[in-house]
Amino acid sequence: PYPVLEDMKNAVIGNNKQKANLIVLGAVPRLLYLLQQESSSTELRTECAVVLGSLAMGTENNVKSLLDCHIIPALLQGLLSPDLKFIEACLRCLRTIFISPVTPEDLLYTDATVISHLMALLSRSRYTQEYICQIFSHCCKGPDHQTILFNHGAVQNIAHLLVSTSYKVRMQALKCFSVLAFENPQVSMTLVNVLVDGELLPQIFVKMLQRDKPIEMQLTSAKCLTSMCRAGAIRTDDSCIILKYPPWSGANS
């Protein structure tokens, strides 16, 4: 199957018509079958996840077809593998599916053990960190989801990622905090006292507001601070709210 998978992968990259053709021809159930076979080599299962991820990057109809084939349970099962490359491929595909507007966020929360396992996978690599944080930030819609993630230790598990050497990881972790804290006093009050490398989270958020940071980072950190301020976790006359820059930054406000 390897040359066939290679041909599939090359055919569908950037080609929505070919993606739709493969789906119509029934490729998805076959790929999912191979992906779930313990007897399949890890390389083969990884290639299947890569091709499925490419199909998911097509149209919303493509994603609907993948969902109809129960791709999410199959990929979540794949996360139990000991092989990091296969885990990363499954997470990349899950990320692509979950950020699609046609995917119900509740599919992430149907099995309570999934969130715990995702938290545990955060320590495996910068890719697991990036993809899992992106999944969490897209699937955290409303107080019920916030509570589930909070109770599974999201704050403690994600906080240290804000000082990652990878910009993508820092950005996705920041987005997680912006959705966790949104209109949620419990989370906002908790964030005030979290220390990362000797710095409190509000101080880290303020540093991310500085003008040398990308606009996306400035806006998202501002959302975090706004939520904390509205919850009463930060006083409205706090210097980090009144001034865009903290006193230690050396910048003029």
Side-chain angles (χ1 to χ4, degrees), residues 46 70 88 113 131 140 174 187 189 231 251 253:
T46 303
H70 308 290
E88 289 173 348
T113 62
Y131 303 146
C140 185
L174 187 59
V187 175
M189 295 302 286
S253 58

Side-chain angles (χ1 to χ4, degrees), residues 32 35 49-50 52-54 56-57 63 66-67 70-80 86-100 103-104 107-108 114 117-118 121 128 130-132 134-136 138-139:
L32 286 173
L35 181 133
V50 170
L52 287 164
S54 185
M57 287 179 185
V63 177
L66 293 171
L67 292 173
H70 308 290
I71 189 172
I72 289 179
L75 292 170
L76 291 174
Q77 187 67 28
L79 300 182
L80 299 174
F86 179 52
I87 289 171
E88 289 173 348
C90 288
L91 282 172
R92 194 180 306 116
C93 187
L94 280 166
R95 179 273 313 265
T96 305
I97 290 166
F98 274 119
I99 65 175
S100 169
T103 306
L107 290 176
L108 183 67
V114 168
H117 190 58
L118 288 172
L121 288 175
T128 65
E130 177 190 340
Y131 303 146
I132 291 169
Q134 200 169 359
I135 290 167
F136 285 161
H138 275 274
C139 293

Side-chain angles (χ1 to χ4, degrees), residues 170-190:
R170 290 200 307 276
M171 196 59 235
Q172 294 304 331
L174 187 59
K175 285 181 178 178
C176 273
F177 281 116
S178 77
V179 295
L180 281 169
F182 181 68
E183 295 182 352
N184 192 312
Q186 181 190 20
V187 175
S188 294
M189 295 302 286
T190 303

Side-chain angles (χ1 to χ4, degrees), residues 21-225:
N21 287 342
L22 266 184
I23 291 170
V24 169
L25 290 169
V28 176
R30 182 64 182 159
L31 288 166
L32 286 173
Y33 173 79
L34 291 171
L35 181 133
Q36 293 176 91
Q37 290 305 298
E38 296 289 337
S39 57
S40 298
S41 71
T42 308
E43 290 79 13
L44 175 60
R45 297 169 79 193
T46 303
E47 284 298 304
C48 289
V50 170
V51 175
L52 287 164
S54 185
L55 294 176
M57 287 179 185
T59 64
E60 290 181 3
N61 282 336
N62 289 7
V63 177
K64 285 178 184 173
S65 298
L66 293 171
L67 292 173
D68 289 343
C69 291
H70 308 290
I71 189 172
I72 289 179
L75 292 170
L76 291 174
Q77 187 67 28
L79 300 182
L80 299 174
S81 164
D83 188 87
L84 182 58
K85 290 294 177 194
F86 179 52
I87 289 171
E88 289 173 348
C90 288
L91 282 172
R92 194 180 306 116
C93 187
L94 280 166
R95 179 273 313 265
T96 305
I97 290 166
F98 274 119
I99 65 175
S100 169
V102 301
T103 306
E105 295 85 10
D106 285 333
L107 290 176
L108 183 67
Y109 303 97
T110 48
D111 181 349
T113 62
V114 168
I115 303 299
S116 298
H117 190 58
L118 288 172
M119 293 294 178
L121 288 175
L122 279 169
S123 61
R124 294 294 301 272
S125 75
R126 73 179 183 88
Y127 295 111
T128 65
Q129 291 166 353
E130 177 190 340
Y131 303 146
I132 291 169
C133 284
Q134 200 169 359
I135 290 167
F136 285 161
S137 64
H138 275 274
C139 293
C140 185
K141 300 285 168 67
D144 289 346
H145 295 164
Q146 288 172 325
T147 300
I148 292 169
L149 293 174
F150 180 80
N151 289 342
H152 278 86
V155 173
Q156 295 79 4
N157 283 295
I158 296 172
H160 72 281
L161 303 182
L162 290 170
V163 293
S164 166
T165 54
S166 162
Y167 171 77
K168 287 183 177 179
V169 171
R170 290 200 307 276
M171 196 59 235
Q172 294 304 331
L174 187 59
K175 285 181 178 178
C176 273
F177 281 116
S178 77
V179 295
L180 281 169
F182 181 68
E183 295 182 352
N184 192 312
Q186 181 190 20
V187 175
S188 294
M189 295 302 286
T190 303
L191 296 185
V192 178
N193 299 313
V194 174
L195 276 171
V196 181
D197 286 357
E199 271 194 302
L200 290 167
L201 273 193
Q203 295 172 324
I204 292 173
F205 292 150
V206 169
K207 282 187 173 180
M208 290 176 162
L209 280 173
Q210 294 176 3
R211 288 176 194 158
D212 62 335
K213 300 294 187 289
I215 294 296
E216 181 187 29
M217 180 171 277
Q218 292 184 48
L219 291 173
T220 311
S221 56
K223 285 181 185 176
C224 294
L225 289 165

